Amino acid sequence: MKVEYQPKVIGFLCNWCSYAGADMAGTSRISYAPNVRIIRVPCSGRVDPLLVLKCFQRGADGVLISGCHPGDCHYTEGNYHARRRFALLRNFLDYLGIAKERLRVEWVSASEGQRFAEIVASFTTELAELGPCVKERSLG
Amino acid sequence: MNLELTQQIRDQARGLLKSGTVKGVIGYERASDGLTARPFFAYELTGTDQLIFDETCSHNLVKYLLDKKGEKMAVVVKPCDSLAINLLLNEEQIKREMVFIIGVSCTGVVETAWNQKSQTLQARCQTCRLPKPVVYDFLAEQEPIRRLEGELYPDILEMEAKPIASRREFWHEQFGRCIRCYACRQICPGCYCPECFAEQLSPLWVGIRIALGENELWQTNRTLHLAGRCTGCNECERACPMDIPLSLLNRKLEKEMEELFSFRAGLTSEEQPPFATFRKEEKLGFEE
């Protein structure tokens, strides 16, 4: 039996907005693609590019980083720093041969459950079209 | 040997040591092959006669300042090396009053190996825009100062124009050869963390085995740690025993930092580096 390809997505969600947004999607009983594995982080500014690179090395097909809207950061400016970092990382990944579409940065507030579900859905569809991100895996 | 510059450097070094202004002078001497240069530390007056400068002096001596924080040292720097001094001043790794900078107005250096030197300038020198150091206490000058023009990133543009699959193939081939000797890190003036992420055991970011995935993680993250900090001395590429084109990585980020944040590392010691600051109104391609 041929198993349909399902992209693996790692989602780094900030504790204050996006994680609550994902929670909102759940409590509102909005169904969304189960491809995203959520990791809760204190702030999108916490996400070191190393974490993203590590995800790709270990077999992720896409990485979603989600934080508070600019101006709404719980720590005032964490997401501004994240924005600068990932603007660079995105272009660098592309240069290394990992399509820049595989890294997605989105701002989702605690009330935007519907929006979170839509982002996951569109990201998953996009990744399914791109196909597997073939990498040398570290541990199988 | 460039007699004009060598004489100025020797005189300056002698004066500094005699007056006790500095404890030692970090410069270049003739290597034992009689052709190329190697780093040299002059602590005695007699040692100053060994100091030289010519087109084989490609080492970035600024790295040594990190090991000599306790004592005032003089260091011979080319324009490109002087950028690294500003970087270390900016990051408060060295104190300005603890360094005497002997700047050299350079006309470019060549590739060297043991007992051989090439006739053409290094690639980075061919597009060098700096005729003299950005920071110095004394300048050893020579005439005429040649200003070189040309496309700064021809190889990067060529790489960017390739299809994504062949870029990946290219890098896999390069990273596959890495033996993770970390020579690129050891020689880099910007790499001075007491504990490198590559050697952390808990969490183990980079696995110990020499495999493509681990090598790639090392090289890509090493480059990212130098984003907006790499001053382009290209010592890492010269130190690499596997001839991995590290300048293609470093200069890609240098180009990106210029395009995204109009920033070039090392030009001043005051300007805040891009990742230490931000502008609220910038979008950088992300929707709000």
Side-chain angles (χ1 to χ4, degrees):
Chain A
M1 194 182 82
K2 194 165 175 284
V3 183
E4 201 191 333
Y5 163 66
Q6 288 291 340
K8 269 197 190 108
V9 184
I10 308 296
F12 291 99
L13 308 188
C14 104
N15 179 44
W16 305 99
C17 295
S18 305
Y19 192 83
D23 201 33
M24 173 62 89
T27 48
S28 317
R29 300 181 171 270
I30 302 164
S31 72
Y32 60 88
N35 304 50
V36 59
R37 280 81 166 157
I38 292 172
I39 297 171
R40 182 165 64 151
V41 289
C43 176
S44 52
R46 159 66 182 92
V47 187
D48 189 316
L50 174 60
L51 300 177
V52 179
L53 291 166
K54 189 80 183 166
C55 288
F56 283 118
Q57 183 220 351
R58 294 287 281 267
D61 294 306
V63 175
L64 170 70
I65 293 146
S66 188
C68 309
H69 286 271
D72 294 345
C73 179
H74 185 78
Y75 306 102
T76 323
E77 53 191 45
N79 51 5
Y80 290 123
H81 287 289
R83 188 166 63 180
R84 286 208 149 190
R85 229 174 277 153
F86 295 114
L88 179 82
L89 181 63
R90 193 163 62 158
N91 295 350
F92 190 48
L93 284 176
D94 201 67
Y95 185 73
L96 295 167
I98 299 171
K100 61 164 69 176
E101 291 78 23
R102 292 189 188 275
L103 174 67
R104 195 128 151 193
V105 180
E106 295 282 356
W107 316 119
V108 175
S109 80
S111 61
E112 295 175 319
Q114 184 65 41
R115 188 171 131 80
F116 179 77
E118 282 161 13
I119 286 167
V120 173
S122 76
F123 192 27
T124 311
T125 322
E126 204 178 332
L127 288 171
E129 280 165 16
L130 277 169
C133 181
V134 194
K135 299 290 289 177
E136 216 273 344
R137 307 271 161 95
S138 180
L139 291 172
Chain B
M1 187 165 74
N2 188 321
L3 286 172
E4 203 182 342
L5 291 176
T6 301
Q7 202 49 53
Q8 291 181 62
I9 291 169
R10 282 181 186 172
D11 290 347
Q12 190 63 34
R14 210 168 287 133
L16 287 168
L17 284 174
K18 201 178 262 175
S19 65
T21 317
V22 298
K23 183 134 188 295
V25 180
I26 312 172
Y28 304 92
E29 70 168 343
R30 184 60 73 221
S32 53
D33 60 4
L35 184 72
T36 58
R38 67 183 176 197
F40 175 65
F41 289 62
Y43 287 102
E44 311 282 338
L45 272 178
T46 47
T48 56
D49 291 335
Q50 271 165 268
L51 290 166
I52 60 155
F53 191 85
D54 65 10
E55 75 282 8
T56 63
C57 297
S58 85
H59 311 77
N60 185 349
L61 303 173
V62 174
K63 175 81 182 181
Y64 293 117
L65 293 177
L66 293 166
D67 296 332
K68 300 285 176 193
K69 285 183 193 178
E71 46 213 31
K72 178 152 182 171
M73 297 295 280
V75 62
V76 176
V77 295
K78 301 187 293 298
C80 47
D81 306 337
S82 70
L83 296 170
I85 291 202
N86 268 345
L87 174 81
L88 295 183
L89 286 173
N90 182 278
E91 296 179 354
E92 296 179 25
Q93 292 303 309
I94 54 173
K95 289 199 182 79
R96 186 65 185 85
E97 65 272 17
M98 293 302 274
V99 196
F100 187 95
I101 306 163
I102 304 175
V104 178
S105 68
C106 165
T107 51
V109 289
V110 297
E111 295 289 356
T112 56
W114 179 249
N115 213 5
Q116 19 173 317
K117 65 173 179 184
S118 74
Q119 295 304 312
T120 51
L121 289 180
Q122 288 181 10
R124 69 192 172 113
C125 300
Q126 293 183 14
T127 53
C128 178
R129 304 278 202 267
L130 287 171
K132 61 175 192 176
V134 289
V135 54
Y136 57 83
D137 296 304
F138 167 79
L139 182 64
E141 283 183 279
Q142 62 179 1
E143 290 292 331
I145 293 165
R146 194 153 40 105
R147 278 180 181 275
L148 301 148
E149 294 298 329
E151 174 58 62
L152 267 181
Y153 306 105
D155 43 352
I156 309 282
L157 290 171
E158 193 185 321
M159 189 70 176
E160 285 170 348
K162 285 183 187 167
I164 193 160
S166 59
R167 279 207 295 271
R168 168 180 290 192
E169 208 174 294
F170 174 82
W171 287 115
H172 277 193
E173 204 266 309
Q174 303 302 329
F175 296 144
R177 285 187 291 123
C178 177
I179 56 172
R180 295 238 304 287
C181 61
Y182 299 135
C184 43
R185 178 188 70 190
Q186 296 308 105
I187 201 132
C188 178
C191 277
Y192 51 73
C193 291
E195 191 186 5
C196 179
F197 77 96
E199 272 146 10
Q200 279 181 353
L201 294 176
S202 177
L204 183 75
W205 293 115
V206 185
I208 289 157
R209 75 187 184 128
I210 310 297
L212 178 60
E214 311 291 0
N215 299 352
E216 179 170 24
L217 201 58
W218 157 245
Q219 286 298 355
T220 49
N221 210 57
R222 181 196 68 80
T223 318
L224 281 166
H225 281 189
L226 289 165
R229 302 178 60 240
C230 173
T231 54
C233 67
N234 213 18
E235 283 285 273
C236 48
E237 190 171 299
R238 267 190 302 286
C240 181
M242 303 309 286
D243 294 324
I244 298 170
L246 297 173
S247 71
L248 280 180
L249 292 173
N250 292 331
R251 282 168 52 254
K252 164 68 179 172
L253 290 196
E254 192 180 289
K255 178 170 172 276
E256 286 292 331
M257 292 313 256
E258 251 178 59
E259 285 170 6
L260 287 168
F261 311 118
S262 320
F263 182 84
R264 194 172 151 74
L267 288 179
T268 73
S269 60
E270 273 88 41
E271 196 180 348
Q272 273 209 313
F275 287 148
T277 181
F278 60 85
R279 282 188 296 123
K280 285 185 176 174
E281 65 279 11
E282 69 194 355
K283 297 275 191 294
L284 303 172
F286 298 122
E287 284 169 37
E288 270 189 35

